[in-house]
Amino acid sequence: MCEEMLPLLNVYLDGELHGIHLMHLEEHLVTCASCREELEQLRRLSDLLHALPTPQFIPVDRFVANLSLNLPRRSSNARPPRYAAWIWWLVPTGLVFAWFFVQTVLILSGTISLANATNLLGNATAWLSGGTQHTLWFDAMSSVLGSQAGSSPAAFSFLDQLSVFGANLLMQIFWQGVIVLLFWAWLAVWWISRRSQLVQSDASHQRS
Amino acid sequence: MAVNRNAEPELSFIQQAQNGDRDAFGGLVRRYYSDVVNVVYRLCGDSGLAEDTTQEAFLRAWVNLPSFHPQSSLRNWLYRIAVNAALDVLRRRSEDTAGGEKMQGLPDQAVGPETALIEKERVIFLQNAILSLPEACRRVLILREYGELTYQEIAQVLDIPLGTVMSRLNYARNCLRETLKEEWLQTENEYV
């Protein structure tokens, strides 16, 4: 018998030998009597195994009836409905849109404020500012200083516009921070739930 | 290799069963009961134990069904559960019994009592030879011979490499041939 052929004989017997290996073995079997005998013994073994009698098991209907009585409730393992997954992914999508919206609005607002302050576009954008924009400290200073404030209106107005621009910048940073925080919170919740799902799946895999 | 039998209705049954439909699960059990109980019986060597273990396997399948991917092969998934359940049962049982599960080979009633007795002894001998194989090799052999799985499917069910499937199968058959040598000669002499 050819020792190196024995594993191939098993694979051949099971119909799992293909291509060049199959051709090679079949050619070999034609010339090698001991391998043919070996293959015959393997076939006989397989026939012997298949010839083993099978006992009479309980009928399938009775088995199913018994099984149905013992099936546990499965509410905790129920799949979440499909729409829940959509809602879940709506959160980050919504946050990205909100971020774009806030960015656009604040950039436009800042640009217009700057244009008004420097009078770059003349009166073209004055109607957008909704009248004169002043900060609280400008109003307070105006009331305290009264006519004195009007003595240097240009410098005072410039400082006021600069302050409006700074307030816009702060607002921009604030809203971006809020959106980033919300996104991180969502990411943390997603990671925790995903981790628990993996742990559950692993546990059920081990149980099965 | 077993192909998806009535794949379309089966997919529908699986999805319904995943959503908690017990009747749909019953339909799946009807479809795979005989395959599963036969494999479990060959692993256990006892029909009563095989029925109990098969029930345990289907209960586990019901509980874990929501995590099953309907595109996978349900039969292979059930085999995986059944093999694990059978091994759990055998491990528990081996603590109680010293070794060697009993075989209930039924003699053919059509032949004479003496022939039937010889036949029964042969069956017991063969079944005990299977049961005496190392557990890892026995699983592979039974899934191949009685589960009729391909090497690839066995590798998936048992979560082992394809090369390991081949080597274990080779080892199991060699062991059986060694054990059955005398039995074999006897058979040949009978025919001569």
Side-chain angles (χ1 to χ4, degrees), chain B residues 156-192:
Chain B
Q156 285 167 0
V157 166
L158 299 180
D159 210 10
I160 54 176
L162 197 63
T164 310
V165 172
M166 290 164 145
S167 59
R168 284 184 186 173
L169 200 52
N170 195 25
Y171 181 81
R173 282 175 174 158
N174 282 344
C175 283
L176 276 184
R177 282 170 61 198
E178 284 299 315
T179 314
L180 301 174
K181 227 167 201 174
E182 284 181 24
E183 180 78 6
W184 222 305
L185 287 172
Q186 198 183 338
T187 311
E188 283 178 349
N189 290 337
E190 277 172 14
Y191 285 117
V192 168

Side-chain angles (χ1 to χ4, degrees), chain A residues 10 14 38 44 49 70 74, chain B residues 17 146 151 170 177 188:
Chain A
N10 274 299
D14 292 326
E38 196 71 19
R44 222 175 291 153
L49 291 173
N70 292 310
R74 213 181 48 193
Chain B
Y146 300 106
Y151 287 3
N170 195 25
R177 282 170 61 198
E188 283 178 349

Side-chain angles (χ1 to χ4, degrees), chain B residues 68-108:
Chain B
F68 172 74
H69 297 286
Q71 281 73 30
S72 317
S73 162
L74 181 68
R75 184 187 63 143
N76 295 355
W77 186 70
L78 288 173
Y79 275 153
R80 177 201 279 260
I81 295 173
V83 167
N84 288 338
L87 295 177
D88 287 347
V89 167
L90 285 178
R91 275 188 207 113
R92 281 201 298 269
R93 209 184 183 214
S94 67
E95 291 165 9
D96 303 332
T97 55
E101 290 80 8
K102 65 177 184 289
M103 168 66 201
Q104 300 176 337
L106 298 171
D108 189 352

Side-chain angles (χ1 to χ4, degrees), chain A residues 87-206:
Chain A
I87 290 170
W88 180 252
W89 288 104
L90 271 179
V91 175
T93 315
L95 282 173
V96 168
F97 275 109
W99 183 79
F100 271 112
F101 177 75
V102 168
Q103 279 288 95
T104 311
V105 167
L106 290 176
I107 287 171
L108 275 177
S109 159
T111 310
I112 291 166
S113 297
L114 196 66
N116 279 342
T118 53
N119 210 16
L120 267 179
L121 301 173
N123 287 330
T125 56
W127 62 277
L128 282 171
S129 60
T132 317
Q133 259 194 329
H134 294 304
T135 52
L136 284 174
W137 71 268
F138 179 86
D139 294 335
M141 287 294 279
S142 298
S143 62
V144 169
L145 297 174
S147 58
Q148 283 181 355
S151 59
S152 55
F156 205 50
S157 175
F158 178 75
L159 281 174
D160 182 48
Q161 292 297 337
L162 203 64
S163 174
V164 168
F165 183 72
N168 278 343
L169 197 67
L170 276 176
M171 190 67 85
Q172 190 171 350
I173 291 167
F174 170 77
W175 280 113
Q176 284 188 356
V178 167
I179 289 171
V180 166
L181 276 176
L182 283 173
F183 185 79
W184 276 103
W186 173 85
L187 206 63
V189 172
W190 176 82
W191 186 77
I192 289 165
S193 72
R194 180 85 187 133
R195 199 166 156 230
S196 69
Q197 272 177 11
L198 285 174
V199 168
Q200 275 178 7
S201 152
D202 192 41
S204 68
H205 180 77
Q206 281 178 355

